[in-house]
Amino acid sequence: MNNIINFLTFMELLIAILLIFVVLIQNKWTALNLSTMSWGMNEITRRWPEKVLHNLTIILGTLFILNSACLFILK
């Protein structure tokens, strides 16, 4: 049981570092384009690197929450 908790703690630390890294390397100004603020918003299209980073952020965030819940239940 103690080995599982140590492994989950290590995984939470690793996921947190990866999540911080992925969020920091994303382009901050991709979704905010003030020159197109008119009656309607233009559809925001993501290119493949931005889409991969966006999806990776969602996956890592979900894994972080699930891992934290498992740690909470086991402790």
Side-chain angles (χ1 to χ4, degrees), residues 6-73:
N6 288 338
F7 176 73
L8 288 176
T9 305
F10 173 74
M11 288 304 295
E12 185 159 11
L13 180 64
L14 183 66
I15 293 170
I17 291 171
L18 287 173
L19 185 60
I20 290 169
F21 178 73
V22 168
V23 167
L24 287 177
I25 64 172
Q26 288 183 17
N27 189 359
K28 295 179 181 110
W29 304 109
T30 302
L32 181 61
N33 189 355
L34 297 177
S35 64
T36 60
M37 296 294 266
S38 59
W39 286 101
M41 290 290 292
N42 291 341
E43 183 180 339
I44 299 169
T45 57
R46 290 186 168 92
R47 306 280 187 243
W48 70 270
E50 296 155 349
K51 186 179 275 191
V52 169
L53 287 175
H54 177 74
N55 291 338
L56 191 59
T57 303
I58 293 171
I59 291 168
L60 287 173
T62 304
L63 287 175
F64 184 80
I65 291 170
L66 290 174
N67 194 19
S68 297
C70 289
L71 274 173
F72 180 74
I73 291 171

